[in-house]
């Protein structure tokens, strides 16, 4: 695995890299300063401090490369090793890293007032005059938003976003230890995570005014069909007024007999057909099926139902599925995108 860390001045990216190196067996890979694009007029003290931020002098812990090509080639050849870099400075370089299935981009951020305080403390430890907050804010804006090399263009594409409001290095280390950034499922999700994410993606196509629901039918780890809820083919979409019941905003369970929307599970079952489903098929849905869908699931021979969010009929649906010999389990996909590091 290769973890790329990016973020604002004193957000904590170098401290996280140092922890990964010292405590989790990662090796630092770097680009020579002359080979990396830099923001002009960066804070001189920050540049003076950056070289010593990691506090690592052991050559066995870091490797320096003259070009992005050589760094990426090294990481590709040793993709099973744990590597970390803080030298991702532009979108073109990031695009090349993101092509690799072993790469994880992690952004680190913190309130600007807290980052200024950290920067001031770092300057004082080195007997340097810290800048006033106003000047630091100007540096920060330049660091984030300068065209082509501002870090905001990178952090918006991060697969994991960390908000580092930790009060001390010890608290930060404890939070990173608990987070386990080296978990390989962050770069390659397991099957449950994968199919549930597909169900959630299908839900984005829903046009139902009441609730977005997505469903995926799977057999032998192959997608048979997908579905999302909304009005039937050739009818006006629910969000365009096609279903009066949904557009009246009636409460759950009210007026169901007048609802024109097909449920996500129904659409997936209709698309697949009984012959394609057969025994051994699994239904993934981001919401536990209602009673109407449950009896249809039992009828077509689904072997397992996996859902993410609960519904107000969970117990009744579970009883029917149990009686029909259909396994039911809840899987809540882990959100890796936004993590607050507070301990």
């Amino acid at each position: 695995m290769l973890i790329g860390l990016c973020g604002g001045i004193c957000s904590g990216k170098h401290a996280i890299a140092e922890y990964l190196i010292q405590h989790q067996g990662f090796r630092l890979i770097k680009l020579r300063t002359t080979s990396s694009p830099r923001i002009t007029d960066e804070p001189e003290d920050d540049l003076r401090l950056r070289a010593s931020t990691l506090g690592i002098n052991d050559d066995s812990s870091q490797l320096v490369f003259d070009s992005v090509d050589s760094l990426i080639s090294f990481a590709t050849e040793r993709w099973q090793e744990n590597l970390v870099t803080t030298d991702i400075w532009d979108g073109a370089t990031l695009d090349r890293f993101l092509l690799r299935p072993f790469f994880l981009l992690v952004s680190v951020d913190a309130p600007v007032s807290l980052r200024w305080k950290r920067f001031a403390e770092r300057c004082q430890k080195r007997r340097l005059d810290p800048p006033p907050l106003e000047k630091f804010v100007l540096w920060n804006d330049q660091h984030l938003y300068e065209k082509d090399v501002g870090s905001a263009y990178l952090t918006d594409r991060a697969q994991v976003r960390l908000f580092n409001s930790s009060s001390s290095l010890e608290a930060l280390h404890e939070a990173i230890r608990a987070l386990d950034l080296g978990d390989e499922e962050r770069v390659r999700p397991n099957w449950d995570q994968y199919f549930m994410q597909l169900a959630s993606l299908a839900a984005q196509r829903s046009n139902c005014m009441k609730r977005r629901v997505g469903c995926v039918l799977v057999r032998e780890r192959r997608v048979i069909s997908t579905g999302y809820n909304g009005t039937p083919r050739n009818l006006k979409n629910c969000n365009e007024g096609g279903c009066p019941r949904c557009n009246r905003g009636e409460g759950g369970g009210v007026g169901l007999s007048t609802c024109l929307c097909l449920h996500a599970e129904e659409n997936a079952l209709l698309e697949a057909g009984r012959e394609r489903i057969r025994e051994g098929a699994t239904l993934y849905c981001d919401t536990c099926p209602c009673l109407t869908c449950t009896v249809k699931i039992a009828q077509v021979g689904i072997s397992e139902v996996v859902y993410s969010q609960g519904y107000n009929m969970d117990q009744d649906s579970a009883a029917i599925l149990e009686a029909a010999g259909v396994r039911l389990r809840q899987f809540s996909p882990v959100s890796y995108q936004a993590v607050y590091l507070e301990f």
Side-chain angles (χ1 to χ4, degrees):
M1 172 184 270
L2 169 61
I3 293 178
L5 291 162
C6 62
I9 302 168
C10 283
S11 59
K13 55 186 179 295
H14 293 102
I16 292 173
E18 181 179 7
Y19 176 82
L20 293 175
I21 293 163
Q22 293 184 351
H23 299 281
Q24 296 190 357
F26 280 73
R27 296 182 71 187
L28 179 69
I29 55 177
K30 294 178 62 66
L31 286 172
R32 295 194 188 281
T33 303
T34 55
S35 67
S36 306
R38 286 291 192 270
I39 295 171
T40 58
D41 193 32
E42 273 194 306
E44 292 182 2
D45 289 340
D46 187 43
L47 291 175
R48 291 171 60 187
L49 296 172
R50 179 180 291 150
S52 61
T53 301
L54 288 173
I56 299 169
N57 298 314
D58 183 0
D59 290 338
S60 65
S61 298
Q62 60 180 308
L63 293 162
V64 182
F65 298 89
D66 292 322
S67 68
V68 173
D69 286 339
S70 58
L71 187 150
I72 291 179
S73 294
F74 177 87
T76 302
E77 292 170 1
R78 294 164 175 80
W79 67 272
Q80 291 180 310
E81 298 180 17
N82 286 328
L83 306 170
V84 61
T85 185
T86 58
D87 288 347
I88 300 175
W89 297 97
D90 61 278
T93 299
L94 177 59
D95 287 339
R96 298 177 62 189
F97 276 106
L98 288 172
L99 291 174
R100 300 303 198 269
F102 53 83
F103 177 71
L104 181 72
L105 180 65
V106 178
S107 71
V108 190
D109 200 1
V112 65
S113 58
L114 179 57
R115 291 192 284 114
W116 171 69
K117 181 180 178 182
R118 292 172 182 167
F119 188 81
E121 290 173 351
R122 189 181 300 172
C123 288
Q124 291 167 355
K125 288 180 180 178
R126 290 161 175 79
R127 298 181 180 179
L128 299 170
D129 293 329
L133 175 59
E134 293 81 1
K135 189 172 184 179
F136 182 84
V137 169
L138 293 175
W139 286 340
N140 176 72
D141 287 348
Q142 190 175 19
H143 186 272
L144 288 176
Y145 303 115
E146 182 148 318
K147 186 178 179 181
D148 297 329
V149 292
S151 63
Y153 297 97
L154 307 180
T155 57
D156 283 348
R157 302 174 65 188
Q159 294 129 301
V160 178
R161 304 188 68 176
L162 307 181
F163 299 97
N164 175 23
S165 57
S166 300
S167 58
S168 65
L169 276 178
E170 291 76 14
L172 175 62
H173 291 174
E174 181 62 23
I176 293 299
R177 183 198 64 76
L179 184 61
D180 188 16
L181 279 176
D183 184 353
E184 293 184 359
E185 289 189 1
R186 296 182 186 277
V187 291
R188 191 166 191 251
N190 62 34
W191 288 111
D192 278 346
Q193 182 91 5
Y194 172 66
F195 291 125
M196 198 61 78
Q197 285 177 342
L198 290 181
S200 295
L201 179 61
Q204 299 305 304
R205 283 290 303 166
S206 169
N207 62 68
C208 179
M209 292 296 291
K210 295 290 288 184
R211 177 194 297 262
R212 281 180 167 177
V213 182
C215 177
V216 175
L217 270 175
V218 176
R219 190 180 66 247
E220 297 176 353
R221 294 178 177 174
R222 296 292 184 270
V223 174
I224 304 172
S225 66
T226 64
Y228 54 86
N229 57 330
T231 48
R233 186 177 302 174
N234 296 326
L235 269 66
K236 186 184 294 185
N237 285 337
C238 181
N239 60 358
E240 297 172 337
C243 177
R245 182 258 175 184
C246 289
N247 282 269
R248 284 196 299 268
E250 295 179 348
V254 178
L256 294 179
S257 61
T258 64
C259 184
L260 301 183
C261 288
L262 287 166
H263 290 192
E265 301 94 322
E266 291 176 312
N267 273 322
L269 294 174
L270 288 168
E271 179 68 24
R274 183 182 175 90
E275 292 304 314
R276 292 178 60 201
I277 296 173
R278 301 198 304 271
E279 297 293 333
T282 300
L283 184 145
Y284 285 87
C285 193
D286 59 2
T287 303
C288 188
C290 69
L291 286 177
T292 302
C293 290
T294 297
V295 296
K296 295 173 183 176
I297 290 168
Q299 175 67 12
V300 298
I302 297 289
S303 296
E304 183 177 30
V305 172
V306 184
Y307 71 97
S308 175
Q309 304 172 44
Y311 192 49
N312 57 11
M313 301 178 183
D314 288 7
Q315 293 184 349
D316 295 331
S317 296
I320 292 174
L321 292 174
E322 182 180 7
V326 180
R327 294 187 299 275
L328 175 68
R329 60 185 174 91
Q330 184 172 14
F331 172 78
S332 297
V334 179
S335 175
Y336 292 131
Q337 293 189 334
V339 181
Y340 288 83
L341 300 179
E342 289 184 314
F343 260 81

